PDB file of all heavy atoms in Angstrom:
ATOM      1  N   ARG A  74     -22.563  16.614  11.048  1.00  0.00           N
ATOM      2  CA  ARG A  74     -21.976  17.558  12.013  1.00  0.00           C
ATOM      3  C   ARG A  74     -21.109  16.826  13.043  1.00  0.00           C
ATOM      4  O   ARG A  74     -20.021  17.280  13.381  1.00  0.00           O
ATOM      5  CB  ARG A  74     -23.129  18.296  12.707  1.00  0.00           C
ATOM      6  CG  ARG A  74     -22.722  19.382  13.666  1.00  0.00           C
ATOM      7  CD  ARG A  74     -23.939  20.203  14.112  1.00  0.00           C
ATOM      8  NE  ARG A  74     -25.011  19.407  14.693  1.00  0.00           N
ATOM      9  CZ  ARG A  74     -25.052  18.953  15.951  1.00  0.00           C
ATOM     10  NH1 ARG A  74     -24.066  19.243  16.778  1.00  0.00           N
ATOM     11  NH2 ARG A  74     -26.059  18.229  16.390  1.00  0.00           N
ATOM     12  N   LEU A  75     -21.577  15.672  13.515  1.00  0.00           N
ATOM     13  CA  LEU A  75     -20.885  14.998  14.616  1.00  0.00           C
ATOM     14  C   LEU A  75     -19.803  14.033  14.114  1.00  0.00           C
ATOM     15  O   LEU A  75     -18.666  14.067  14.586  1.00  0.00           O
ATOM     16  CB  LEU A  75     -21.895  14.239  15.480  1.00  0.00           C
ATOM     17  CG  LEU A  75     -22.989  15.107  16.122  1.00  0.00           C
ATOM     18  CD1 LEU A  75     -24.106  14.240  16.671  1.00  0.00           C
ATOM     19  CD2 LEU A  75     -22.408  15.986  17.216  1.00  0.00           C
ATOM     20  N   TYR A  76     -20.157  13.192  13.140  1.00  0.00           N
ATOM     21  CA  TYR A  76     -19.218  12.159  12.639  1.00  0.00           C
ATOM     22  C   TYR A  76     -18.143  12.774  11.738  1.00  0.00           C
ATOM     23  O   TYR A  76     -16.955  12.477  11.873  1.00  0.00           O
ATOM     24  CB  TYR A  76     -20.007  11.076  11.891  1.00  0.00           C
ATOM     25  CG  TYR A  76     -19.296  10.419  10.705  1.00  0.00           C
ATOM     26  CD1 TYR A  76     -18.452   9.331  10.892  1.00  0.00           C
ATOM     27  CD2 TYR A  76     -19.486  10.903   9.405  1.00  0.00           C
ATOM     28  CE1 TYR A  76     -17.811   8.738   9.804  1.00  0.00           C
ATOM     29  CE2 TYR A  76     -18.848  10.312   8.325  1.00  0.00           C
ATOM     30  CZ  TYR A  76     -18.005   9.235   8.519  1.00  0.00           C
ATOM     31  OH  TYR A  76     -17.370   8.656   7.447  1.00  0.00           O
ATOM     32  N   TYR A  77     -18.584  13.654  10.826  1.00  0.00           N
ATOM     33  CA  TYR A  77     -17.656  14.129   9.791  1.00  0.00           C
ATOM     34  C   TYR A  77     -16.933  15.418  10.222  1.00  0.00           C
ATOM     35  O   TYR A  77     -15.719  15.433  10.423  1.00  0.00           O
ATOM     36  CB  TYR A  77     -18.422  14.335   8.478  1.00  0.00           C
ATOM     37  CG  TYR A  77     -17.550  14.843   7.356  1.00  0.00           C
ATOM     38  CD1 TYR A  77     -16.558  14.025   6.822  1.00  0.00           C
ATOM     39  CD2 TYR A  77     -17.698  16.125   6.857  1.00  0.00           C
ATOM     40  CE1 TYR A  77     -15.743  14.491   5.806  1.00  0.00           C
ATOM     41  CE2 TYR A  77     -16.883  16.589   5.836  1.00  0.00           C
ATOM     42  CZ  TYR A  77     -15.904  15.770   5.318  1.00  0.00           C
ATOM     43  OH  TYR A  77     -15.087  16.234   4.315  1.00  0.00           O
ATOM     44  N   THR A  78     -17.738  16.483  10.401  1.00  0.00           N
ATOM     45  CA  THR A  78     -17.109  17.761  10.775  1.00  0.00           C
ATOM     46  C   THR A  78     -16.510  17.675  12.179  1.00  0.00           C
ATOM     47  O   THR A  78     -15.398  18.135  12.416  1.00  0.00           O
ATOM     48  CB  THR A  78     -18.169  18.882  10.742  1.00  0.00           C
ATOM     49  OG1 THR A  78     -18.730  18.909   9.433  1.00  0.00           O
ATOM     50  CG2 THR A  78     -17.565  20.228  11.070  1.00  0.00           C
ATOM     51  N   GLY A  79     -17.254  17.082  13.110  1.00  0.00           N
ATOM     52  CA  GLY A  79     -16.829  17.060  14.502  1.00  0.00           C
ATOM     53  C   GLY A  79     -15.678  16.106  14.752  1.00  0.00           C
ATOM     54  O   GLY A  79     -14.527  16.524  14.917  1.00  0.00           O
ATOM     55  N   TYR A  80     -15.978  14.807  14.776  1.00  0.00           N
ATOM     56  CA  TYR A  80     -14.946  13.884  15.228  1.00  0.00           C
ATOM     57  C   TYR A  80     -13.849  13.646  14.177  1.00  0.00           C
ATOM     58  O   TYR A  80     -12.660  13.684  14.489  1.00  0.00           O
ATOM     59  CB  TYR A  80     -15.557  12.551  15.665  1.00  0.00           C
ATOM     60  CG  TYR A  80     -14.585  11.778  16.502  1.00  0.00           C
ATOM     61  CD1 TYR A  80     -14.214  12.251  17.766  1.00  0.00           C
ATOM     62  CD2 TYR A  80     -13.978  10.625  16.031  1.00  0.00           C
ATOM     63  CE1 TYR A  80     -13.275  11.583  18.539  1.00  0.00           C
ATOM     64  CE2 TYR A  80     -13.046   9.947  16.797  1.00  0.00           C
ATOM     65  CZ  TYR A  80     -12.701  10.426  18.049  1.00  0.00           C
ATOM     66  OH  TYR A  80     -11.762   9.766  18.794  1.00  0.00           O
ATOM     67  N   SER A  81     -14.241  13.420  12.918  1.00  0.00           N
ATOM     68  CA  SER A  81     -13.216  13.106  11.906  1.00  0.00           C
ATOM     69  C   SER A  81     -12.317  14.320  11.643  1.00  0.00           C
ATOM     70  O   SER A  81     -11.087  14.224  11.699  1.00  0.00           O
ATOM     71  CB  SER A  81     -13.871  12.659  10.597  1.00  0.00           C
ATOM     72  OG  SER A  81     -14.602  11.463  10.806  1.00  0.00           O
ATOM     73  N   ASN A  82     -12.937  15.473  11.355  1.00  0.00           N
ATOM     74  CA  ASN A  82     -12.125  16.628  10.967  1.00  0.00           C
ATOM     75  C   ASN A  82     -11.668  17.481  12.147  1.00  0.00           C
ATOM     76  O   ASN A  82     -10.630  18.131  12.066  1.00  0.00           O
ATOM     77  CB  ASN A  82     -12.902  17.509   9.980  1.00  0.00           C
ATOM     78  CG  ASN A  82     -13.031  16.840   8.625  1.00  0.00           C
ATOM     79  OD1 ASN A  82     -12.269  15.927   8.310  1.00  0.00           O
ATOM     80  ND2 ASN A  82     -13.996  17.273   7.833  1.00  0.00           N
ATOM     81  N   GLY A  83     -12.465  17.496  13.227  1.00  0.00           N
ATOM     82  CA  GLY A  83     -12.128  18.381  14.356  1.00  0.00           C
ATOM     83  C   GLY A  83     -11.286  17.692  15.420  1.00  0.00           C
ATOM     84  O   GLY A  83     -10.637  18.368  16.221  1.00  0.00           O
ATOM     85  N   THR A  84     -11.305  16.359  15.451  1.00  0.00           N
ATOM     86  CA  THR A  84     -10.546  15.645  16.497  1.00  0.00           C
ATOM     87  C   THR A  84      -9.438  14.782  15.884  1.00  0.00           C
ATOM     88  O   THR A  84      -8.258  14.969  16.168  1.00  0.00           O
ATOM     89  CB  THR A  84     -11.489  14.741  17.329  1.00  0.00           C
ATOM     90  OG1 THR A  84     -12.539  15.557  17.846  1.00  0.00           O
ATOM     91  CG2 THR A  84     -10.744  14.088  18.486  1.00  0.00           C
ATOM     92  N   LEU A  85      -9.840  13.831  15.022  1.00  0.00           N
ATOM     93  CA  LEU A  85      -8.822  12.891  14.532  1.00  0.00           C
ATOM     94  C   LEU A  85      -7.814  13.555  13.600  1.00  0.00           C
ATOM     95  O   LEU A  85      -6.609  13.259  13.667  1.00  0.00           O
ATOM     96  CB  LEU A  85      -9.500  11.716  13.807  1.00  0.00           C
ATOM     97  CG  LEU A  85     -10.182  10.700  14.722  1.00  0.00           C
ATOM     98  CD1 LEU A  85     -10.806   9.586  13.898  1.00  0.00           C
ATOM     99  CD2 LEU A  85      -9.183  10.114  15.729  1.00  0.00           C
ATOM    100  N   TRP A  86      -8.277  14.458  12.735  1.00  0.00           N
ATOM    101  CA  TRP A  86      -7.328  15.087  11.793  1.00  0.00           C
ATOM    102  C   TRP A  86      -6.202  15.819  12.547  1.00  0.00           C
ATOM    103  O   TRP A  86      -5.019  15.530  12.311  1.00  0.00           O
ATOM    104  CB  TRP A  86      -8.075  16.017  10.823  1.00  0.00           C
ATOM    105  CG  TRP A  86      -7.174  16.708   9.851  1.00  0.00           C
ATOM    106  CD1 TRP A  86      -6.586  17.943  10.012  1.00  0.00           C
ATOM    107  CD2 TRP A  86      -6.715  16.222   8.584  1.00  0.00           C
ATOM    108  NE1 TRP A  86      -5.802  18.248   8.926  1.00  0.00           N
ATOM    109  CE2 TRP A  86      -5.864  17.213   8.033  1.00  0.00           C
ATOM    110  CE3 TRP A  86      -6.934  15.047   7.863  1.00  0.00           C
ATOM    111  CZ2 TRP A  86      -5.238  17.071   6.790  1.00  0.00           C
ATOM    112  CZ3 TRP A  86      -6.300  14.903   6.614  1.00  0.00           C
ATOM    113  CH2 TRP A  86      -5.480  15.903   6.099  1.00  0.00           C
ATOM    114  N   PRO A  87      -6.520  16.738  13.477  1.00  0.00           N
ATOM    115  CA  PRO A  87      -5.405  17.374  14.198  1.00  0.00           C
ATOM    116  C   PRO A  87      -4.582  16.369  15.004  1.00  0.00           C
ATOM    117  O   PRO A  87      -3.344  16.464  15.039  1.00  0.00           O
ATOM    118  CB  PRO A  87      -6.081  18.401  15.118  1.00  0.00           C
ATOM    119  CG  PRO A  87      -7.528  18.029  15.157  1.00  0.00           C
ATOM    120  CD  PRO A  87      -7.824  17.324  13.868  1.00  0.00           C
ATOM    121  N   MET A  88      -5.237  15.400  15.641  1.00  0.00           N
ATOM    122  CA  MET A  88      -4.493  14.419  16.451  1.00  0.00           C
ATOM    123  C   MET A  88      -3.470  13.684  15.602  1.00  0.00           C
ATOM    124  O   MET A  88      -2.303  13.566  15.971  1.00  0.00           O
ATOM    125  CB  MET A  88      -5.501  13.415  17.046  1.00  0.00           C
ATOM    126  CG  MET A  88      -4.864  12.349  17.887  1.00  0.00           C
ATOM    127  SD  MET A  88      -4.298  13.010  19.458  1.00  0.00           S
ATOM    128  CE  MET A  88      -2.541  12.746  19.332  1.00  0.00           C
ATOM    129  N   LEU A  89      -3.903  13.201  14.437  1.00  0.00           N
ATOM    130  CA  LEU A  89      -3.010  12.388  13.610  1.00  0.00           C
ATOM    131  C   LEU A  89      -1.923  13.238  12.946  1.00  0.00           C
ATOM    132  O   LEU A  89      -0.891  12.711  12.531  1.00  0.00           O
ATOM    133  CB  LEU A  89      -3.817  11.603  12.570  1.00  0.00           C
ATOM    134  CG  LEU A  89      -4.751  10.558  13.211  1.00  0.00           C
ATOM    135  CD1 LEU A  89      -5.755  10.006  12.204  1.00  0.00           C
ATOM    136  CD2 LEU A  89      -3.934   9.419  13.844  1.00  0.00           C
ATOM    137  N   HIS A  90      -2.159  14.560  12.865  1.00  0.00           N
ATOM    138  CA  HIS A  90      -1.127  15.466  12.351  1.00  0.00           C
ATOM    139  C   HIS A  90      -0.322  16.110  13.483  1.00  0.00           C
ATOM    140  O   HIS A  90       0.257  17.181  13.303  1.00  0.00           O
ATOM    141  CB  HIS A  90      -1.748  16.530  11.439  1.00  0.00           C
ATOM    142  CG  HIS A  90      -2.169  15.973  10.115  1.00  0.00           C
ATOM    143  ND1 HIS A  90      -3.385  15.352   9.911  1.00  0.00           N
ATOM    144  CD2 HIS A  90      -1.527  15.904   8.922  1.00  0.00           C
ATOM    145  CE1 HIS A  90      -3.471  14.946   8.658  1.00  0.00           C
ATOM    146  NE2 HIS A  90      -2.356  15.256   8.034  1.00  0.00           N
ATOM    147  N   TYR A  91      -0.294  15.484  14.638  1.00  0.00           N
ATOM    148  CA  TYR A  91       0.545  15.894  15.785  1.00  0.00           C
ATOM    149  C   TYR A  91       0.091  17.217  16.413  1.00  0.00           C
ATOM    150  O   TYR A  91       0.857  17.826  17.144  1.00  0.00           O
ATOM    151  CB  TYR A  91       2.013  16.067  15.365  1.00  0.00           C
ATOM    152  CG  TYR A  91       2.764  14.853  14.873  1.00  0.00           C
ATOM    153  CD1 TYR A  91       2.255  14.018  13.895  1.00  0.00           C
ATOM    154  CD2 TYR A  91       4.034  14.556  15.383  1.00  0.00           C
ATOM    155  CE1 TYR A  91       2.978  12.927  13.432  1.00  0.00           C
ATOM    156  CE2 TYR A  91       4.767  13.470  14.931  1.00  0.00           C
ATOM    157  CZ  TYR A  91       4.228  12.658  13.955  1.00  0.00           C
ATOM    158  OH  TYR A  91       4.952  11.586  13.480  1.00  0.00           O
ATOM    159  N   ARG A  92      -1.122  17.684  16.139  1.00  0.00           N
ATOM    160  CA  ARG A  92      -1.528  19.002  16.623  1.00  0.00           C
ATOM    161  C   ARG A  92      -2.445  18.887  17.843  1.00  0.00           C
ATOM    162  O   ARG A  92      -3.627  19.247  17.800  1.00  0.00           O
ATOM    163  CB  ARG A  92      -2.232  19.773  15.499  1.00  0.00           C
ATOM    164  CG  ARG A  92      -1.375  19.965  14.260  1.00  0.00           C
ATOM    165  CD  ARG A  92      -0.204  20.876  14.517  1.00  0.00           C
ATOM    166  NE  ARG A  92      -0.637  22.254  14.683  1.00  0.00           N
ATOM    167  CZ  ARG A  92      -0.827  23.098  13.677  1.00  0.00           C
ATOM    168  NH1 ARG A  92      -0.632  22.717  12.432  1.00  0.00           N
ATOM    169  NH2 ARG A  92      -1.203  24.332  13.913  1.00  0.00           N
ATOM    170  N   VAL A  93      -1.865  18.385  18.935  1.00  0.00           N
ATOM    171  CA  VAL A  93      -2.672  18.158  20.136  1.00  0.00           C
ATOM    172  C   VAL A  93      -3.328  19.453  20.615  1.00  0.00           C
ATOM    173  O   VAL A  93      -4.437  19.451  21.138  1.00  0.00           O
ATOM    174  CB  VAL A  93      -1.808  17.582  21.283  1.00  0.00           C
ATOM    175  CG1 VAL A  93      -2.685  17.180  22.452  1.00  0.00           C
ATOM    176  CG2 VAL A  93      -1.044  16.383  20.791  1.00  0.00           C
ATOM    177  N   GLY A  94      -2.642  20.583  20.391  1.00  0.00           N
ATOM    178  CA  GLY A  94      -3.188  21.863  20.830  1.00  0.00           C
ATOM    179  C   GLY A  94      -4.500  22.230  20.146  1.00  0.00           C
ATOM    180  O   GLY A  94      -5.272  23.032  20.673  1.00  0.00           O
ATOM    181  N   LEU A  95      -4.754  21.655  18.979  1.00  0.00           N
ATOM    182  CA  LEU A  95      -5.991  21.967  18.253  1.00  0.00           C
ATOM    183  C   LEU A  95      -7.091  20.944  18.535  1.00  0.00           C
ATOM    184  O   LEU A  95      -8.208  21.068  18.038  1.00  0.00           O
ATOM    185  CB  LEU A  95      -5.729  21.990  16.738  1.00  0.00           C
ATOM    186  CG  LEU A  95      -4.765  23.046  16.223  1.00  0.00           C
ATOM    187  CD1 LEU A  95      -4.567  22.888  14.717  1.00  0.00           C
ATOM    188  CD2 LEU A  95      -5.279  24.448  16.533  1.00  0.00           C
ATOM    189  N   LEU A  96      -6.742  19.927  19.317  1.00  0.00           N
ATOM    190  CA  LEU A  96      -7.661  18.826  19.522  1.00  0.00           C
ATOM    191  C   LEU A  96      -8.888  19.262  20.320  1.00  0.00           C
ATOM    192  O   LEU A  96      -8.771  19.878  21.370  1.00  0.00           O
ATOM    193  CB  LEU A  96      -6.919  17.757  20.320  1.00  0.00           C
ATOM    194  CG  LEU A  96      -7.591  16.416  20.422  1.00  0.00           C
ATOM    195  CD1 LEU A  96      -6.765  15.439  19.611  1.00  0.00           C
ATOM    196  CD2 LEU A  96      -7.632  15.944  21.836  1.00  0.00           C
ATOM    197  N   GLU A  97     -10.053  18.945  19.797  1.00  0.00           N
ATOM    198  CA  GLU A  97     -11.286  19.179  20.555  1.00  0.00           C
ATOM    199  C   GLU A  97     -11.989  17.843  20.668  1.00  0.00           C
ATOM    200  O   GLU A  97     -12.328  17.242  19.664  1.00  0.00           O
ATOM    201  CB  GLU A  97     -12.178  20.170  19.815  1.00  0.00           C
ATOM    202  CG  GLU A  97     -11.600  21.563  19.824  1.00  0.00           C
ATOM    203  CD  GLU A  97     -12.562  22.576  19.229  1.00  0.00           C
ATOM    204  OE1 GLU A  97     -13.728  22.207  18.994  1.00  0.00           O
ATOM    205  OE2 GLU A  97     -12.111  23.707  19.014  1.00  0.00           O
ATOM    206  N   PHE A  98     -12.160  17.388  21.888  1.00  0.00           N
ATOM    207  CA  PHE A  98     -12.803  16.081  22.063  1.00  0.00           C
ATOM    208  C   PHE A  98     -14.164  16.250  22.707  1.00  0.00           C
ATOM    209  O   PHE A  98     -14.302  16.891  23.741  1.00  0.00           O
ATOM    210  CB  PHE A  98     -11.938  15.166  22.935  1.00  0.00           C
ATOM    211  CG  PHE A  98     -12.564  13.818  23.138  1.00  0.00           C
ATOM    212  CD1 PHE A  98     -12.430  12.823  22.199  1.00  0.00           C
ATOM    213  CD2 PHE A  98     -13.344  13.563  24.274  1.00  0.00           C
ATOM    214  CE1 PHE A  98     -13.033  11.579  22.369  1.00  0.00           C
ATOM    215  CE2 PHE A  98     -13.953  12.320  24.448  1.00  0.00           C
ATOM    216  CZ  PHE A  98     -13.787  11.328  23.494  1.00  0.00           C
ATOM    217  N   ARG A  99     -15.180  15.683  22.069  1.00  0.00           N
ATOM    218  CA  ARG A  99     -16.525  15.629  22.664  1.00  0.00           C
ATOM    219  C   ARG A  99     -17.041  14.210  22.537  1.00  0.00           C
ATOM    220  O   ARG A  99     -17.062  13.648  21.446  1.00  0.00           O
ATOM    221  CB  ARG A  99     -17.482  16.588  21.955  1.00  0.00           C
ATOM    222  CG  ARG A  99     -17.101  18.033  22.140  1.00  0.00           C
ATOM    223  CD  ARG A  99     -18.143  18.991  21.575  1.00  0.00           C
ATOM    224  NE  ARG A  99     -17.605  20.335  21.578  1.00  0.00           N
ATOM    225  CZ  ARG A  99     -16.852  20.849  20.601  1.00  0.00           C
ATOM    226  NH1 ARG A  99     -16.601  20.119  19.520  1.00  0.00           N
ATOM    227  NH2 ARG A  99     -16.381  22.077  20.701  1.00  0.00           N
ATOM    228  N   ARG A 100     -17.443  13.641  23.695  1.00  0.00           N
ATOM    229  CA  ARG A 100     -17.905  12.248  23.679  1.00  0.00           C
ATOM    230  C   ARG A 100     -19.044  12.033  22.698  1.00  0.00           C
ATOM    231  O   ARG A 100     -19.113  11.013  22.024  1.00  0.00           O
ATOM    232  CB  ARG A 100     -18.356  11.844  25.079  1.00  0.00           C
ATOM    233  CG  ARG A 100     -17.173  11.636  25.984  1.00  0.00           C
ATOM    234  CD  ARG A 100     -17.576  11.002  27.282  1.00  0.00           C
ATOM    235  NE  ARG A 100     -16.354  10.729  28.034  1.00  0.00           N
ATOM    236  CZ  ARG A 100     -16.312  10.004  29.128  1.00  0.00           C
ATOM    237  NH1 ARG A 100     -17.420   9.479  29.616  1.00  0.00           N
ATOM    238  NH2 ARG A 100     -15.169   9.808  29.737  1.00  0.00           N
ATOM    239  N   GLU A 101     -19.925  13.021  22.624  1.00  0.00           N
ATOM    240  CA  GLU A 101     -21.089  12.903  21.743  1.00  0.00           C
ATOM    241  C   GLU A 101     -20.632  12.672  20.287  1.00  0.00           C
ATOM    242  O   GLU A 101     -21.212  11.886  19.544  1.00  0.00           O
ATOM    243  CB  GLU A 101     -21.880  14.203  21.861  1.00  0.00           C
ATOM    244  CG  GLU A 101     -23.104  14.287  21.015  1.00  0.00           C
ATOM    245  CD  GLU A 101     -23.629  15.731  20.858  1.00  0.00           C
ATOM    246  OE1 GLU A 101     -22.856  16.692  21.116  1.00  0.00           O
ATOM    247  OE2 GLU A 101     -24.782  15.880  20.477  1.00  0.00           O
ATOM    248  N   GLU A 102     -19.539  13.366  19.905  1.00  0.00           N
ATOM    249  CA  GLU A 102     -19.044  13.220  18.528  1.00  0.00           C
ATOM    250  C   GLU A 102     -18.399  11.846  18.318  1.00  0.00           C
ATOM    251  O   GLU A 102     -18.586  11.206  17.278  1.00  0.00           O
ATOM    252  CB  GLU A 102     -18.038  14.336  18.212  1.00  0.00           C
ATOM    253  CG  GLU A 102     -18.716  15.698  18.159  1.00  0.00           C
ATOM    254  CD  GLU A 102     -17.739  16.849  17.955  1.00  0.00           C
ATOM    255  OE1 GLU A 102     -16.500  16.621  18.013  1.00  0.00           O
ATOM    256  OE2 GLU A 102     -18.213  17.973  17.750  1.00  0.00           O
ATOM    257  N   GLU A 103     -17.632  11.431  19.315  1.00  0.00           N
ATOM    258  CA  GLU A 103     -16.976  10.121  19.185  1.00  0.00           C
ATOM    259  C   GLU A 103     -18.028   9.023  19.071  1.00  0.00           C
ATOM    260  O   GLU A 103     -17.891   8.073  18.286  1.00  0.00           O
ATOM    261  CB  GLU A 103     -16.060   9.893  20.385  1.00  0.00           C
ATOM    262  CG  GLU A 103     -15.049   8.770  20.186  1.00  0.00           C
ATOM    263  CD  GLU A 103     -15.378   7.522  20.981  1.00  0.00           C
ATOM    264  OE1 GLU A 103     -16.440   7.466  21.650  1.00  0.00           O
ATOM    265  OE2 GLU A 103     -14.587   6.582  20.927  1.00  0.00           O
ATOM    266  N   GLU A 104     -19.101   9.160  19.841  1.00  0.00           N
ATOM    267  CA  GLU A 104     -20.155   8.137  19.806  1.00  0.00           C
ATOM    268  C   GLU A 104     -20.887   8.150  18.460  1.00  0.00           C
ATOM    269  O   GLU A 104     -21.224   7.100  17.910  1.00  0.00           O
ATOM    270  CB  GLU A 104     -21.110   8.335  20.994  1.00  0.00           C
ATOM    271  CG  GLU A 104     -20.476   7.757  22.263  1.00  0.00           C
ATOM    272  CD  GLU A 104     -20.967   8.389  23.560  1.00  0.00           C
ATOM    273  OE1 GLU A 104     -22.031   9.059  23.532  1.00  0.00           O
ATOM    274  OE2 GLU A 104     -20.280   8.213  24.589  1.00  0.00           O
ATOM    275  N   ALA A 105     -21.116   9.339  17.918  1.00  0.00           N
ATOM    276  CA  ALA A 105     -21.773   9.435  16.609  1.00  0.00           C
ATOM    277  C   ALA A 105     -20.875   8.827  15.520  1.00  0.00           C
ATOM    278  O   ALA A 105     -21.349   8.160  14.586  1.00  0.00           O
ATOM    279  CB  ALA A 105     -22.080  10.890  16.277  1.00  0.00           C
TER     280      ALA A 105
END
Side-chain angles (χ1 to χ4, degrees):
R74 184 170 55 81
L75 300 167
Y76 147 86
Y77 179 68
T78 303
Y80 197 67
S81 297
N82 289 341
T84 305
L85 286 180
W86 179 268
M88 179 73 243
L89 295 168
H90 287 84
Y91 296 50
R92 301 293 289 274
V93 188
L95 297 177
L96 191 111
E97 290 187 10
F98 180 83
R99 294 187 190 86
R100 286 190 175 190
E101 179 197 18
E102 292 176 352
E103 196 253 4
E104 281 154 17

